[in-house]
Every structure is written in C-alpha cells, then in structure tokens.
Amino acid sequence: MDARPPDRTTADAGRRRRADAERNIAAILDATVQCAPSDGTLNMSAIARLAGVSRVTLYAHFPTREALLGAALQRAFRQTDEVLSGLPLDDAPPAEVLPELIRTSWQVLERHRNLYMAASADLPPATLRAYADLVLGRVEKLLSRGQSAGVFRTDMPLDWLVSTVYTLMHLAAEQVATAHTPPDVAGDLASATIMSLLTSGTPAAPGA
C-alpha cells in the first residue's frame, strides 16, 4: 500500500474545489431568496443566472426544487436562530424579552416571506414545521418559563400558544408584503397582539 502523503498540488486543488463549491452554494441560496416570487412558483433557470452558475452546477448541488427550497429555508431559520441567540431568553423576565424576540425575528421572516410561500407550495407541512423547530424550540422554552412564572396564561396548551405566536409573526410579514401595514408598525402590532393574547386573564406578577 502506498503510504506517501498526497501531492501538495493535488491537496491545494481539492481545497480550491471545496471553496468554489461553498461559494456556489451560498450564491445559489442567496439567489433563491431573491428570486422567490409571491405566487410560490420558483424558476430554477432564473436562480442559476442570478447566482452566476450554470444549470448543471445548480442541479449538481440541488438535484430537485424541493432540495433547494429545503436548504434555503433551513438557512433562513438558522439565521433567525443566530439572531435570537443574542437575546437573554433564559435569564430575562419572559414578559420583557418576548416582545424583543418578536420584533427581532419577524423581520427575518419578512425578508424570507416569499421563500416560505414557495416552500409551502412544494414541501409538506410536517417538513416546514421541522425546519421551523430550531426557532420554535426557543419560543416554546420562553413561553413555558413565562407560564411557570405566572405571567403567561396556562388555560391553553403550550404547543397551541407557540403555533399562534409563529402564525401571527408570519401574518405581520404578510401585511407588510401586501402593503397593508408599514414595516415600522408591523413589528409593534404583532408584539402587542401576541402579548395581549398570552396575558389575557393572567394577573400581573411583578419581577417575574
């Protein structure tokens, strides 16, 4: 067996290929977000042109439209999770930090609204929810902490409240996209609506 180390030129070429592939993937995912239309129809040729790659390269990385949508959506939720990781979700009073979470994350959802609409047309609801679980897990943990502290209502299932928060944030994004609500107002409206729903019938708990 030949135990000689790989040729340095070959190793460098391999690294360049990996770097090129990573750049192409990033460009394709960026183009997917930009090209995603509101009617849910995704044009693979347009994405390849905007990304500056051939259709062959596009399909080499993402063999199907579903694979591309899944990767783009997964990255969108990962970006949302990275934004939320900077918030004191585990330590700050739940009723104080939740409005900040809403104002922060709905804007990321708004930027990716068309992508989500396209994914909704091609991917089953269970798959969409699985991608969202990265973010919804943080929301669930925060709401659970608020229920335990007595600041959020406990007369409704936790999972229902989590889904309601998620739905209302998407509604805020839709209102902005359809020009029914200004972007600088939608976040505050979503936050006020969600907080009103979560605290309805719940006595105030100072310092919770």
Side-chain angles (χ1 to χ4, degrees), residues 60-111:
H61 292 298
F62 304 102
T64 65
R65 184 168 59 183
E66 291 79 9
L68 176 57
L69 284 168
L73 197 62
Q74 186 175 34
R75 188 181 69 161
F77 282 115
R78 189 165 58 245
Q79 290 172 347
T80 305
D81 184 67
E82 289 170 357
V83 171
L84 296 183
S85 67
L87 300 178
L89 301 181
D90 296 328
D91 305 310
E96 292 181 12
V97 73
L98 180 59
E100 182 61 24
L101 179 151
I102 296 167
R103 285 192 291 268
T104 299
S105 56
W106 90 264
Q107 295 177 18
V108 181
L109 292 175
E110 194 275 329
R111 288 199 299 271

mmCIF file of all heavy atoms in Angstrom, residues 60-111:
data_model
loop_
_atom_site.group_PDB
_atom_site.id
_atom_site.type_symbol
_atom_site.label_atom_id
_atom_site.label_comp_id
_atom_site.label_asym_id
_atom_site.label_seq_id
_atom_site.Cartn_x
_atom_site.Cartn_y
_atom_site.Cartn_z
ATOM 1 N N ALA A 60 -26.297 20.040 -9.713
ATOM 2 C CA ALA A 60 -25.292 19.196 -9.070
ATOM 3 C C ALA A 60 -25.365 19.345 -7.548
ATOM 4 O O ALA A 60 -25.172 18.382 -6.802
ATOM 5 C CB ALA A 60 -23.900 19.551 -9.568
ATOM 6 N N HIS A 61 -25.635 20.569 -7.103
ATOM 7 C CA HIS A 61 -25.741 20.818 -5.662
ATOM 8 C C HIS A 61 -27.146 20.538 -5.139
ATOM 9 O O HIS A 61 -27.314 20.053 -4.009
ATOM 10 C CB HIS A 61 -25.353 22.263 -5.354
ATOM 11 C CG HIS A 61 -23.908 22.575 -5.569
ATOM 12 N ND1 HIS A 61 -22.904 21.957 -4.861
ATOM 13 C CD2 HIS A 61 -23.305 23.443 -6.421
ATOM 14 C CE1 HIS A 61 -21.732 22.433 -5.261
ATOM 15 N NE2 HIS A 61 -21.951 23.334 -6.201
ATOM 16 N N PHE A 62 -28.158 20.848 -5.951
ATOM 17 C CA PHE A 62 -29.548 20.687 -5.532
ATOM 18 C C PHE A 62 -30.323 19.997 -6.653
ATOM 19 O O PHE A 62 -30.818 20.662 -7.572
ATOM 20 C CB PHE A 62 -30.164 22.050 -5.199
ATOM 21 C CG PHE A 62 -29.395 22.819 -4.158
ATOM 22 C CD1 PHE A 62 -28.561 23.864 -4.521
ATOM 23 C CD2 PHE A 62 -29.489 22.471 -2.820
ATOM 24 C CE1 PHE A 62 -27.837 24.564 -3.572
ATOM 25 C CE2 PHE A 62 -28.770 23.163 -1.859
ATOM 26 C CZ PHE A 62 -27.944 24.210 -2.233
ATOM 27 N N PRO A 63 -30.400 18.675 -6.616
ATOM 28 C CA PRO A 63 -30.988 17.898 -7.718
ATOM 29 C C PRO A 63 -32.454 18.204 -7.997
ATOM 30 O O PRO A 63 -32.929 17.995 -9.110
ATOM 31 C CB PRO A 63 -30.804 16.446 -7.263
ATOM 32 C CG PRO A 63 -29.726 16.495 -6.240
ATOM 33 C CD PRO A 63 -29.865 17.816 -5.560
ATOM 34 N N THR A 64 -33.176 18.680 -6.977
ATOM 35 C CA THR A 64 -34.597 18.962 -7.153
ATOM 36 C C THR A 64 -34.930 20.333 -6.577
ATOM 37 O O THR A 64 -34.184 20.880 -5.754
ATOM 38 C CB THR A 64 -35.475 17.914 -6.452
ATOM 39 O OG1 THR A 64 -35.261 18.003 -5.025
ATOM 40 C CG2 THR A 64 -35.128 16.505 -6.920
ATOM 41 N N ARG A 65 -36.065 20.856 -6.994
ATOM 42 C CA ARG A 65 -36.533 22.135 -6.449
ATOM 43 C C ARG A 65 -36.809 21.997 -4.956
ATOM 44 O O ARG A 65 -36.539 22.918 -4.171
ATOM 45 C CB ARG A 65 -37.795 22.578 -7.190
ATOM 46 C CG ARG A 65 -38.300 23.946 -6.766
ATOM 47 C CD ARG A 65 -39.353 24.460 -7.713
ATOM 48 N NE ARG A 65 -40.507 23.568 -7.795
ATOM 49 C CZ ARG A 65 -41.538 23.780 -8.599
ATOM 50 N NH1 ARG A 65 -41.530 24.819 -9.416
ATOM 51 N NH2 ARG A 65 -42.563 22.945 -8.607
ATOM 52 N N GLU A 66 -37.323 20.838 -4.551
ATOM 53 C CA GLU A 66 -37.593 20.615 -3.139
ATOM 54 C C GLU A 66 -36.312 20.661 -2.307
ATOM 55 O O GLU A 66 -36.305 21.205 -1.197
ATOM 56 C CB GLU A 66 -38.303 19.267 -2.942
ATOM 57 C CG GLU A 66 -39.725 19.217 -3.463
ATOM 58 C CD GLU A 66 -39.795 19.039 -4.977
ATOM 59 O OE1 GLU A 66 -38.744 18.788 -5.614
ATOM 60 O OE2 GLU A 66 -40.898 19.162 -5.534
ATOM 61 N N ALA A 67 -35.237 20.091 -2.855
ATOM 62 C CA ALA A 67 -33.960 20.103 -2.141
ATOM 63 C C ALA A 67 -33.444 21.525 -1.987
ATOM 64 O O ALA A 67 -32.913 21.905 -0.927
ATOM 65 C CB ALA A 67 -32.938 19.244 -2.884
ATOM 66 N N LEU A 68 -33.589 22.325 -3.036
ATOM 67 C CA LEU A 68 -33.134 23.717 -2.988
ATOM 68 C C LEU A 68 -33.963 24.516 -1.992
ATOM 69 O O LEU A 68 -33.423 25.270 -1.169
ATOM 70 C CB LEU A 68 -33.226 24.334 -4.381
ATOM 71 C CG LEU A 68 -32.881 25.824 -4.486
ATOM 72 C CD1 LEU A 68 -31.481 26.096 -3.958
ATOM 73 C CD2 LEU A 68 -33.013 26.292 -5.933
ATOM 74 N N LEU A 69 -35.275 24.371 -2.046
ATOM 75 C CA LEU A 69 -36.141 25.094 -1.125
ATOM 76 C C LEU A 69 -35.855 24.698 0.322
ATOM 77 O O LEU A 69 -35.815 25.551 1.218
ATOM 78 C CB LEU A 69 -37.605 24.815 -1.465
ATOM 79 C CG LEU A 69 -38.161 25.548 -2.689
ATOM 80 C CD1 LEU A 69 -39.513 24.968 -3.083
ATOM 81 C CD2 LEU A 69 -38.287 27.032 -2.418
ATOM 82 N N GLY A 70 -35.652 23.416 0.543
ATOM 83 C CA GLY A 70 -35.360 22.947 1.886
ATOM 84 C C GLY A 70 -34.075 23.543 2.428
ATOM 85 O O GLY A 70 -34.016 23.988 3.576
ATOM 86 N N ALA A 71 -33.033 23.583 1.597
ATOM 87 C CA ALA A 71 -31.750 24.129 2.031
ATOM 88 C C ALA A 71 -31.858 25.627 2.300
ATOM 89 O O ALA A 71 -31.301 26.136 3.284
ATOM 90 C CB ALA A 71 -30.686 23.859 0.966
ATOM 91 N N ALA A 72 -32.572 26.340 1.429
ATOM 92 C CA ALA A 72 -32.721 27.786 1.611
ATOM 93 C C ALA A 72 -33.539 28.095 2.858
ATOM 94 O O ALA A 72 -33.214 29.018 3.622
ATOM 95 C CB ALA A 72 -33.372 28.401 0.372
ATOM 96 N N LEU A 73 -34.595 27.328 3.078
ATOM 97 C CA LEU A 73 -35.432 27.553 4.248
ATOM 98 C C LEU A 73 -34.696 27.204 5.532
ATOM 99 O O LEU A 73 -34.801 27.917 6.541
ATOM 100 C CB LEU A 73 -36.705 26.717 4.125
ATOM 101 C CG LEU A 73 -37.874 27.117 5.031
ATOM 102 C CD1 LEU A 73 -38.342 28.528 4.700
ATOM 103 C CD2 LEU A 73 -39.029 26.137 4.873
ATOM 104 N N GLN A 74 -33.933 26.127 5.489
ATOM 105 C CA GLN A 74 -33.153 25.731 6.660
ATOM 106 C C GLN A 74 -32.153 26.825 7.018
ATOM 107 O O GLN A 74 -31.967 27.157 8.195
ATOM 108 C CB GLN A 74 -32.428 24.416 6.381
ATOM 109 C CG GLN A 74 -31.715 23.847 7.592
ATOM 110 C CD GLN A 74 -31.114 22.486 7.286
ATOM 111 O OE1 GLN A 74 -30.675 22.221 6.172
ATOM 112 N NE2 GLN A 74 -31.104 21.604 8.266
ATOM 113 N N ARG A 75 -31.517 27.425 5.997
ATOM 114 C CA ARG A 75 -30.569 28.507 6.269
ATOM 115 C C ARG A 75 -31.292 29.724 6.848
ATOM 116 O O ARG A 75 -30.767 30.392 7.751
ATOM 117 C CB ARG A 75 -29.821 28.908 4.995
ATOM 118 C CG ARG A 75 -28.684 29.883 5.263
ATOM 119 C CD ARG A 75 -27.954 30.315 4.015
ATOM 120 N NE ARG A 75 -28.785 31.166 3.159
ATOM 121 C CZ ARG A 75 -28.285 31.958 2.214
ATOM 122 N NH1 ARG A 75 -26.976 32.011 2.003
ATOM 123 N NH2 ARG A 75 -29.082 32.690 1.481
ATOM 124 N N ALA A 76 -32.495 30.013 6.360
ATOM 125 C CA ALA A 76 -33.255 31.157 6.864
ATOM 126 C C ALA A 76 -33.560 30.995 8.350
ATOM 127 O O ALA A 76 -33.397 31.937 9.141
ATOM 128 C CB ALA A 76 -34.545 31.325 6.070
ATOM 129 N N PHE A 77 -34.006 29.809 8.743
ATOM 130 C CA PHE A 77 -34.301 29.586 10.155
ATOM 131 C C PHE A 77 -33.021 29.564 10.989
ATOM 132 O O PHE A 77 -33.033 29.982 12.154
ATOM 133 C CB PHE A 77 -35.082 28.289 10.336
ATOM 134 C CG PHE A 77 -36.538 28.419 9.996
ATOM 135 C CD1 PHE A 77 -37.086 27.738 8.926
ATOM 136 C CD2 PHE A 77 -37.364 29.234 10.749
ATOM 137 C CE1 PHE A 77 -38.433 27.868 8.607
ATOM 138 C CE2 PHE A 77 -38.713 29.374 10.447
ATOM 139 C CZ PHE A 77 -39.245 28.688 9.365
ATOM 140 N N ARG A 78 -31.935 29.093 10.402
ATOM 141 C CA ARG A 78 -30.662 29.119 11.124
ATOM 142 C C ARG A 78 -30.218 30.561 11.382
ATOM 143 O O ARG A 78 -29.697 30.883 12.456
ATOM 144 C CB ARG A 78 -29.601 28.349 10.332
ATOM 145 C CG ARG A 78 -28.305 28.141 11.129
ATOM 146 C CD ARG A 78 -27.429 27.089 10.474
ATOM 147 N NE ARG A 78 -27.084 27.440 9.111
ATOM 148 C CZ ARG A 78 -27.465 26.775 8.036
ATOM 149 N NH1 ARG A 78 -28.245 25.708 8.154
ATOM 150 N NH2 ARG A 78 -27.095 27.154 6.819
ATOM 151 N N GLN A 79 -30.433 31.438 10.395
ATOM 152 C CA GLN A 79 -30.098 32.846 10.572
ATOM 153 C C GLN A 79 -30.967 33.479 11.653
ATOM 154 O O GLN A 79 -30.485 34.289 12.457
ATOM 155 C CB GLN A 79 -30.272 33.589 9.244
ATOM 156 C CG GLN A 79 -29.235 33.230 8.198
ATOM 157 C CD GLN A 79 -29.543 33.832 6.833
ATOM 158 O OE1 GLN A 79 -30.644 34.330 6.592
ATOM 159 N NE2 GLN A 79 -28.575 33.791 5.935
ATOM 160 N N THR A 80 -32.246 33.110 11.678
ATOM 161 C CA THR A 80 -33.136 33.605 12.726
ATOM 162 C C THR A 80 -32.653 33.144 14.092
ATOM 163 O O THR A 80 -32.623 33.920 15.059
ATOM 164 C CB THR A 80 -34.573 33.112 12.497
ATOM 165 O OG1 THR A 80 -34.999 33.472 11.185
ATOM 166 C CG2 THR A 80 -35.524 33.723 13.517
ATOM 167 N N ASP A 81 -32.262 31.886 14.186
ATOM 168 C CA ASP A 81 -31.778 31.336 15.450
ATOM 169 C C ASP A 81 -30.517 32.056 15.914
ATOM 170 O O ASP A 81 -30.341 32.319 17.104
ATOM 171 C CB ASP A 81 -31.504 29.836 15.292
ATOM 172 C CG ASP A 81 -31.086 29.191 16.589
ATOM 173 O OD1 ASP A 81 -31.918 29.119 17.515
ATOM 174 O OD2 ASP A 81 -29.918 28.758 16.691
ATOM 175 N N GLU A 82 -29.641 32.408 14.970
ATOM 176 C CA GLU A 82 -28.419 33.131 15.320
ATOM 177 C C GLU A 82 -28.738 34.512 15.875
ATOM 178 O O GLU A 82 -28.091 34.988 16.817
ATOM 179 C CB GLU A 82 -27.516 33.240 14.092
ATOM 180 C CG GLU A 82 -26.891 31.914 13.675
ATOM 181 C CD GLU A 82 -26.191 31.996 12.325
ATOM 182 O OE1 GLU A 82 -26.257 33.080 11.697
ATOM 183 O OE2 GLU A 82 -25.588 30.989 11.911
ATOM 184 N N VAL A 83 -29.757 35.164 15.298
ATOM 185 C CA VAL A 83 -30.180 36.468 15.806
ATOM 186 C C VAL A 83 -30.728 36.329 17.225
ATOM 187 O O VAL A 83 -30.397 37.109 18.125
ATOM 188 C CB VAL A 83 -31.243 37.095 14.877
ATOM 189 C CG1 VAL A 83 -31.839 38.339 15.512
ATOM 190 C CG2 VAL A 83 -30.626 37.454 13.531
ATOM 191 N N LEU A 84 -31.549 35.316 17.430
ATOM 192 C CA LEU A 84 -32.180 35.122 18.735
ATOM 193 C C LEU A 84 -31.175 34.706 19.804
ATOM 194 O O LEU A 84 -31.404 34.933 20.999
ATOM 195 C CB LEU A 84 -33.285 34.064 18.640
ATOM 196 C CG LEU A 84 -34.472 34.411 17.740
ATOM 197 C CD1 LEU A 84 -35.520 33.308 17.809
ATOM 198 C CD2 LEU A 84 -35.080 35.746 18.110
ATOM 199 N N SER A 85 -30.083 34.092 19.389
ATOM 200 C CA SER A 85 -29.084 33.640 20.367
ATOM 201 C C SER A 85 -28.451 34.811 21.114
ATOM 202 O O SER A 85 -27.866 34.613 22.179
ATOM 203 C CB SER A 85 -27.998 32.813 19.667
ATOM 204 O OG SER A 85 -27.236 33.629 18.786
ATOM 205 N N GLY A 86 -28.588 36.022 20.564
ATOM 206 C CA GLY A 86 -28.045 37.197 21.243
ATOM 207 C C GLY A 86 -28.981 37.781 22.280
ATOM 208 O O GLY A 86 -28.610 38.740 22.976
ATOM 209 N N LEU A 87 -30.186 37.235 22.408
ATOM 210 C CA LEU A 87 -31.148 37.728 23.386
ATOM 211 C C LEU A 87 -31.071 36.899 24.673
ATOM 212 O O LEU A 87 -30.812 35.703 24.625
ATOM 213 C CB LEU A 87 -32.571 37.646 22.826
ATOM 214 C CG LEU A 87 -32.854 38.454 21.553
ATOM 215 C CD1 LEU A 87 -34.302 38.215 21.098
ATOM 216 C CD2 LEU A 87 -32.607 39.933 21.779
ATOM 217 N N PRO A 88 -31.321 37.514 25.814
ATOM 218 C CA PRO A 88 -31.265 36.785 27.103
ATOM 219 C C PRO A 88 -32.531 35.974 27.346
ATOM 220 O O PRO A 88 -33.258 36.194 28.324
ATOM 221 C CB PRO A 88 -31.101 37.920 28.120
ATOM 222 C CG PRO A 88 -31.835 39.067 27.502
ATOM 223 C CD PRO A 88 -31.585 38.951 26.015
ATOM 224 N N LEU A 89 -32.804 35.017 26.485
ATOM 225 C CA LEU A 89 -34.056 34.267 26.563
ATOM 226 C C LEU A 89 -34.143 33.387 27.798
ATOM 227 O O LEU A 89 -35.239 33.038 28.241
ATOM 228 C CB LEU A 89 -34.219 33.403 25.307
ATOM 229 C CG LEU A 89 -34.245 34.158 23.966
ATOM 230 C CD1 LEU A 89 -34.446 33.172 22.818
ATOM 231 C CD2 LEU A 89 -35.332 35.217 23.960
ATOM 232 N N ASP A 90 -33.006 33.004 28.362
ATOM 233 C CA ASP A 90 -33.013 32.095 29.511
ATOM 234 C C ASP A 90 -32.977 32.830 30.850
ATOM 235 O O ASP A 90 -33.178 32.199 31.892
ATOM 236 C CB ASP A 90 -31.826 31.132 29.436
ATOM 237 C CG ASP A 90 -31.892 30.210 28.227
ATOM 238 O OD1 ASP A 90 -33.016 29.866 27.827
ATOM 239 O OD2 ASP A 90 -30.829 29.855 27.685
ATOM 240 N N ASP A 91 -32.715 34.132 30.810
ATOM 241 C CA ASP A 91 -32.484 34.839 32.070
ATOM 242 C C ASP A 91 -33.429 36.018 32.297
ATOM 243 O O ASP A 91 -33.870 36.252 33.423
ATOM 244 C CB ASP A 91 -31.033 35.346 32.125
ATOM 245 C CG ASP A 91 -30.026 34.232 31.905
ATOM 246 O OD1 ASP A 91 -30.143 33.202 32.584
ATOM 247 O OD2 ASP A 91 -29.140 34.389 31.052
ATOM 248 N N ALA A 92 -33.729 36.781 31.251
ATOM 249 C CA ALA A 92 -34.548 37.985 31.410
ATOM 250 C C ALA A 92 -35.993 37.618 31.706
ATOM 251 O O ALA A 92 -36.456 36.525 31.357
ATOM 252 C CB ALA A 92 -34.462 38.841 30.151
ATOM 253 N N PRO A 93 -36.748 38.518 32.357
ATOM 254 C CA PRO A 93 -38.174 38.255 32.605
ATOM 255 C C PRO A 93 -38.894 37.951 31.295
ATOM 256 O O PRO A 93 -38.766 38.703 30.325
ATOM 257 C CB PRO A 93 -38.661 39.572 33.221
ATOM 258 C CG PRO A 93 -37.443 40.158 33.862
ATOM 259 C CD PRO A 93 -36.303 39.785 32.956
ATOM 260 N N PRO A 94 -39.649 36.857 31.227
ATOM 261 C CA PRO A 94 -40.290 36.439 29.976
ATOM 262 C C PRO A 94 -41.139 37.523 29.324
ATOM 263 O O PRO A 94 -41.105 37.699 28.099
ATOM 264 C CB PRO A 94 -41.144 35.236 30.398
ATOM 265 C CG PRO A 94 -40.448 34.696 31.591
ATOM 266 C CD PRO A 94 -39.905 35.883 32.307
ATOM 267 N N ALA A 95 -41.914 38.262 30.116
ATOM 268 C CA ALA A 95 -42.791 39.281 29.562
ATOM 269 C C ALA A 95 -42.017 40.462 28.990
ATOM 270 O O ALA A 95 -42.568 41.247 28.220
ATOM 271 C CB ALA A 95 -43.773 39.770 30.628
ATOM 272 N N GLU A 96 -40.748 40.584 29.354
ATOM 273 C CA GLU A 96 -39.925 41.667 28.818
ATOM 274 C C GLU A 96 -39.170 41.227 27.566
ATOM 275 O O GLU A 96 -39.037 41.992 26.608
ATOM 276 C CB GLU A 96 -38.926 42.142 29.882
ATOM 277 C CG GLU A 96 -39.575 42.836 31.066
ATOM 278 C CD GLU A 96 -38.544 43.307 32.082
ATOM 279 O OE1 GLU A 96 -37.335 43.294 31.757
ATOM 280 O OE2 GLU A 96 -38.950 43.683 33.205
ATOM 281 N N VAL A 97 -38.680 40.007 27.563
ATOM 282 C CA VAL A 97 -37.831 39.563 26.456
ATOM 283 C C VAL A 97 -38.650 39.045 25.273
ATOM 284 O O VAL A 97 -38.194 39.112 24.127
ATOM 285 C CB VAL A 97 -36.829 38.486 26.936
ATOM 286 C CG1 VAL A 97 -37.524 37.164 27.197
ATOM 287 C CG2 VAL A 97 -35.705 38.312 25.916
ATOM 288 N N LEU A 98 -39.878 38.568 25.508
ATOM 289 C CA LEU A 98 -40.671 38.056 24.395
ATOM 290 C C LEU A 98 -40.972 39.132 23.346
ATOM 291 O O LEU A 98 -40.848 38.862 22.148
ATOM 292 C CB LEU A 98 -41.970 37.427 24.894
ATOM 293 C CG LEU A 98 -42.878 36.851 23.798
ATOM 294 C CD1 LEU A 98 -42.154 35.766 23.009
ATOM 295 C CD2 LEU A 98 -44.177 36.296 24.385
ATOM 296 N N PRO A 99 -41.387 40.344 23.726
ATOM 297 C CA PRO A 99 -41.602 41.372 22.694
ATOM 298 C C PRO A 99 -40.352 41.639 21.862
ATOM 299 O O PRO A 99 -40.448 41.873 20.650
ATOM 300 C CB PRO A 99 -42.007 42.610 23.510
ATOM 301 C CG PRO A 99 -42.615 42.046 24.751
ATOM 302 C CD PRO A 99 -41.797 40.831 25.060
ATOM 303 N N GLU A 100 -39.181 41.586 22.485
ATOM 304 C CA GLU A 100 -37.945 41.787 21.737
ATOM 305 C C GLU A 100 -37.701 40.631 20.772
ATOM 306 O O GLU A 100 -37.255 40.833 19.640
ATOM 307 C CB GLU A 100 -36.767 41.921 22.706
ATOM 308 C CG GLU A 100 -35.436 42.189 22.033
ATOM 309 C CD GLU A 100 -35.411 43.477 21.242
ATOM 310 O OE1 GLU A 100 -36.212 44.386 21.541
ATOM 311 O OE2 GLU A 100 -34.600 43.586 20.295
ATOM 312 N N LEU A 101 -38.007 39.421 21.223
ATOM 313 C CA LEU A 101 -37.891 38.262 20.330
ATOM 314 C C LEU A 101 -38.797 38.429 19.113
ATOM 315 O O LEU A 101 -38.385 38.161 17.980
ATOM 316 C CB LEU A 101 -38.259 36.992 21.099
ATOM 317 C CG LEU A 101 -38.213 35.664 20.333
ATOM 318 C CD1 LEU A 101 -37.899 34.511 21.286
ATOM 319 C CD2 LEU A 101 -39.539 35.365 19.622
ATOM 320 N N ILE A 102 -40.018 38.877 19.347
ATOM 321 C CA ILE A 102 -40.966 39.045 18.244
ATOM 322 C C ILE A 102 -40.483 40.109 17.278
ATOM 323 O O ILE A 102 -40.472 39.911 16.059
ATOM 324 C CB ILE A 102 -42.356 39.409 18.804
ATOM 325 C CG1 ILE A 102 -42.911 38.248 19.644
ATOM 326 C CG2 ILE A 102 -43.321 39.748 17.662
ATOM 327 C CD1 ILE A 102 -44.107 38.630 20.483
ATOM 328 N N ARG A 103 -40.085 41.260 17.811
ATOM 329 C CA ARG A 103 -39.637 42.352 16.940
ATOM 330 C C ARG A 103 -38.398 41.969 16.159
ATOM 331 O O ARG A 103 -38.194 42.418 15.024
ATOM 332 C CB ARG A 103 -39.383 43.609 17.775
ATOM 333 C CG ARG A 103 -40.644 44.330 18.232
ATOM 334 C CD ARG A 103 -40.304 45.690 18.794
ATOM 335 N NE ARG A 103 -39.577 45.575 20.055
ATOM 336 C CZ ARG A 103 -40.161 45.558 21.247
ATOM 337 N NH1 ARG A 103 -41.481 45.626 21.330
ATOM 338 N NH2 ARG A 103 -39.447 45.454 22.351
ATOM 339 N N THR A 104 -37.549 41.141 16.752
ATOM 340 C CA THR A 104 -36.311 40.736 16.097
ATOM 341 C C THR A 104 -36.559 39.682 15.023
ATOM 342 O O THR A 104 -36.078 39.802 13.900
ATOM 343 C CB THR A 104 -35.309 40.182 17.131
ATOM 344 O OG1 THR A 104 -34.998 41.209 18.071
ATOM 345 C CG2 THR A 104 -34.021 39.736 16.451
ATOM 346 N N SER A 105 -37.332 38.655 15.360
ATOM 347 C CA SER A 105 -37.462 37.513 14.458
ATOM 348 C C SER A 105 -38.457 37.741 13.326
ATOM 349 O O SER A 105 -38.290 37.175 12.241
ATOM 350 C CB SER A 105 -37.839 36.263 15.242
ATOM 351 O OG SER A 105 -39.017 36.475 15.989
ATOM 352 N N TRP A 106 -39.472 38.564 13.516
ATOM 353 C CA TRP A 106 -40.447 38.725 12.447
ATOM 354 C C TRP A 106 -39.807 39.402 11.243
ATOM 355 O O TRP A 106 -40.199 39.156 10.105
ATOM 356 C CB TRP A 106 -41.684 39.496 12.924
ATOM 357 C CG TRP A 106 -41.581 40.989 12.740
ATOM 358 C CD1 TRP A 106 -41.193 41.898 13.665
ATOM 359 C CD2 TRP A 106 -41.856 41.726 11.544
ATOM 360 N NE1 TRP A 106 -41.188 43.152 13.126
ATOM 361 C CE2 TRP A 106 -41.605 43.077 11.824
ATOM 362 C CE3 TRP A 106 -42.285 41.384 10.274
ATOM 363 C CZ2 TRP A 106 -41.765 44.091 10.883
ATOM 364 C CZ3 TRP A 106 -42.443 42.391 9.323
ATOM 365 C CH2 TRP A 106 -42.189 43.725 9.621
ATOM 366 N N GLN A 107 -38.813 40.261 11.473
ATOM 367 C CA GLN A 107 -38.139 40.931 10.365
ATOM 368 C C GLN A 107 -37.378 39.931 9.504
ATOM 369 O O GLN A 107 -37.326 40.066 8.278
ATOM 370 C CB GLN A 107 -37.191 42.010 10.894
ATOM 371 C CG GLN A 107 -37.919 43.145 11.604
ATOM 372 C CD GLN A 107 -36.968 44.172 12.179
ATOM 373 O OE1 GLN A 107 -35.805 44.242 11.805
ATOM 374 N NE2 GLN A 107 -37.452 44.974 13.110
ATOM 375 N N VAL A 108 -36.782 38.925 10.144
ATOM 376 C CA VAL A 108 -36.115 37.872 9.375
ATOM 377 C C VAL A 108 -37.156 37.089 8.578
ATOM 378 O O VAL A 108 -36.948 36.761 7.406
ATOM 379 C CB VAL A 108 -35.324 36.927 10.305
ATOM 380 C CG1 VAL A 108 -34.606 35.857 9.486
ATOM 381 C CG2 VAL A 108 -34.316 37.712 11.135
ATOM 382 N N LEU A 109 -38.296 36.815 9.206
ATOM 383 C CA LEU A 109 -39.372 36.120 8.500
ATOM 384 C C LEU A 109 -39.882 36.946 7.327
ATOM 385 O O LEU A 109 -40.186 36.408 6.255
ATOM 386 C CB LEU A 109 -40.533 35.835 9.464
ATOM 387 C CG LEU A 109 -40.268 34.821 10.574
ATOM 388 C CD1 LEU A 109 -41.466 34.750 11.514
ATOM 389 C CD2 LEU A 109 -39.971 33.450 9.997
ATOM 390 N N GLU A 110 -39.957 38.272 7.509
ATOM 391 C CA GLU A 110 -40.442 39.140 6.435
ATOM 392 C C GLU A 110 -39.513 39.093 5.232
ATOM 393 O O GLU A 110 -39.963 39.046 4.084
ATOM 394 C CB GLU A 110 -40.588 40.572 6.961
ATOM 395 C CG GLU A 110 -41.387 41.493 6.066
ATOM 396 C CD GLU A 110 -40.559 42.120 4.971
ATOM 397 O OE1 GLU A 110 -39.354 42.346 5.195
ATOM 398 O OE2 GLU A 110 -41.110 42.388 3.889
ATOM 399 N N ARG A 111 -38.208 39.069 5.494
ATOM 400 C CA ARG A 111 -37.237 39.024 4.389
ATOM 401 C C ARG A 111 -37.344 37.714 3.618
ATOM 402 O O ARG A 111 -37.011 37.653 2.435
ATOM 403 C CB ARG A 111 -35.812 39.195 4.928
ATOM 404 C CG ARG A 111 -35.478 40.596 5.392
ATOM 405 C CD ARG A 111 -33.987 40.816 5.476
ATOM 406 N NE ARG A 111 -33.349 39.920 6.416
ATOM 407 C CZ ARG A 111 -33.192 40.190 7.714
ATOM 408 N NH1 ARG A 111 -33.663 41.307 8.222
ATOM 409 N NH2 ARG A 111 -32.580 39.334 8.508
#
